């Protein structure tokens, strides 16, 4: 069993910044890739940014140059620094992770956090 808990959401004016945090806890041997997704009102949930076990990253085109994703493996945490926020960034942001529970068991389990609201006003 693994829990992902997000924090750092809130309301900010356009051009402002927020930093989201997500920490995984529970039965964890290792964490593979971790990422952030978002779902705006009336929209599907889409990938925002992800960071793989080797440290490489991937971003949605809409956030490139503005958002930075990073991870701390010692803390089983992933972060999303969001700068130059725009109203269209308004959404519920959710943390996701693939987790290996046991040594010699390479099966990856899929976990989601509950989400944190980000609201950007013009």
């Amino acid at each position: 069993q693994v829990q992902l808990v997000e924090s750092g959401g809130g309301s900010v004016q356009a051009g402002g910044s927020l930093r989201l945090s997500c920490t995984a806890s529970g039965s964890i041997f290792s964490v593979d890739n971790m990422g952030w997704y978002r779902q705006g009102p009336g929209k599907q949930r889409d990938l925002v940014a992800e960071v793989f076990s080797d440290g490489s990253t991937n971003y949605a085109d809409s956030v490139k140059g503005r958002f930075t994703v990073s991870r701390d493996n010692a803390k089983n945490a992933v972060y999303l620094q969001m700068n130059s926020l725009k109203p269209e960034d308004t959404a519920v942001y959710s943390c996701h992770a693939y987790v290996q529970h046991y040594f010699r068991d390479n099966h990856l389990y899929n976990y989601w956090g509950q989400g944190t609201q980000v609201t950007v006003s013009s």
Side-chain angles (χ1 to χ4, degrees):
Q1 183 180 355
V2 169
Q3 300 80 41
L4 301 180
V5 180
E6 305 103 330
S7 63
S11 298
V12 66
Q13 291 186 326
S17 298
L18 287 172
R19 185 172 187 261
L20 306 183
S21 299
C22 172
T23 301
S25 62
S27 300
I28 300 172
F29 175 75
S30 65
V31 179
D32 198 57
N33 52 305
M34 306 183 75
W36 292 94
Y37 292 72
R38 68 185 181 187
Q39 185 171 23
K43 299 180 180 180
Q44 68 181 66
R45 183 159 59 184
D46 294 322
L47 175 70
V48 177
E50 60 186 343
V51 55
F52 301 95
S53 58
D54 65 357
S56 61
T57 58
N58 181 46
Y59 297 91
D61 288 340
S62 60
V63 307
K64 287 181 179 177
R66 300 188 297 121
F67 292 9
T68 302
V69 65
S70 60
R71 67 189 292 165
D72 185 339
N73 290 333
K75 298 180 179 179
N76 292 322
V78 62
Y79 309 95
L80 186 67
Q81 179 66 46
M82 304 185 293
N83 298 325
S84 301
L85 283 162
K86 304 175 181 179
E88 49 263 45
D89 295 319
T90 295
V92 174
Y93 285 70
S94 299
C95 176
H96 174 266
Y98 283 108
V99 177
Q100 180 180 345
H101 291 293
Y102 306 106
F103 178 61
R104 294 185 176 181
D105 181 5
N106 290 324
H107 182 75
L108 297 177
Y109 291 82
N110 186 341
Y111 291 97
W112 290 92
Q114 293 299 310
T116 183
Q117 177 70 47
V118 171
T119 302
V120 184
S121 60
S122 61

